[in-house]
Every structure is written in C-alpha cells, then in structure tokens.
C-alpha cells in the first residue's frame, strides 16, 4: 500500500534531477524514458541552466502536460549548481541524477 501524505497524494519516492543545457534534441527521449517507468510516486525536476536553444520551451510543455515534471529556470552556472538547485527542490525519499543526453 502506498504511503499517503497529508494532502492525500502519494508520497514521492524518487526525485529524478536532470540538469539541462542546450539539450533540446535529447530531452523528449530522456523525459519519456523516466515517465514510462513503473513507479508512480516519482517527480522529475528539470533544471534549465540558461539554455539558448528550445530546451526551456520543451520542458515547460512537458510540465504543463504532466504534473510529475517540474522545471527550474536559472542563469547558466554549470552542472553542479544545477544539480544543487534540483536537490533543494526535491521532495523524494531518494534522489537520482540523469543527464539529458
């Protein structure tokens, strides 16, 4: 039986953090792969690190379609700070990191 949090929603088991920088050509496959996993208690935190391609637009479209996808938009700081921003936003019991490419 799933553990239920105070809001009535299932507790997040895994937070998948994806730092993104100009990865538009890989994003759909990456996000679809995570969302197709059998675990429902998952959140996908995509940290756009100042992309100059269409990455942010694509991420926002996924977030609009699927409530498990969350987007953080920040100025370019590098992969480390992008991962740290994802960690700060994560609600999961476990963390997983995935590169967009």
């Amino acid at each position: 039986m799933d553990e239920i949090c105070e809001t009535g929603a299932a507790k997040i088991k895994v937070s998948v953090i994806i730092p993104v920088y100009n990865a538009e050509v890989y994003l759909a496959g990456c996000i679809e792969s995570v969302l197709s996993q059998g675990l429902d208690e998952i959140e996908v935190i995509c940290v756009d690190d100042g992309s100059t391609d269409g990455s942010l637009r694509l991420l926002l479209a996924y977030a609009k379609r699927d409530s498990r996808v969350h987007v953080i938009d920040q100025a370019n700081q590098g992969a480390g700070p992008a991962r740290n921003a994802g960690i700060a936003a994560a609600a999961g019991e476990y963390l997983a990191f995935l590169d967009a490419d």
Side-chain angles (χ1 to χ4, degrees):
M1 182 170 179
D2 292 334
E3 184 175 339
I4 304 296
C5 70
E6 294 171 10
T7 62
K11 184 176 178 182
I12 302 296
K13 298 279 187 194
V14 179
S15 296
V16 179
I17 299 167
I18 306 172
V20 176
Y21 180 74
N22 290 344
E24 180 180 18
V25 297
Y26 305 107
L27 280 176
C30 176
I31 295 171
E32 290 294 334
S33 174
V34 175
L35 294 177
S36 69
Q37 300 303 310
L39 183 64
D40 290 328
E41 301 85 13
I42 194 169
E43 67 177 349
V44 182
I45 302 171
C46 301
V47 183
D48 185 78
D49 192 43
S51 293
T52 58
D53 64 359
S55 293
L56 181 59
R57 182 181 68 250
L58 184 61
L59 293 173
L60 293 172
Y62 267 98
K64 189 174 183 177
R65 287 194 313 252
D66 194 314
S67 64
R68 297 174 293 174
V69 178
H70 309 284
V71 178
I72 298 172
D73 181 19
Q74 68 180 30
N76 183 260
Q77 300 174 47
R83 286 184 179 93
N84 289 338
I87 291 169
E93 184 177 348
Y94 299 98
L95 298 177
F97 296 95
L98 180 62
D99 289 336
D101 60 353

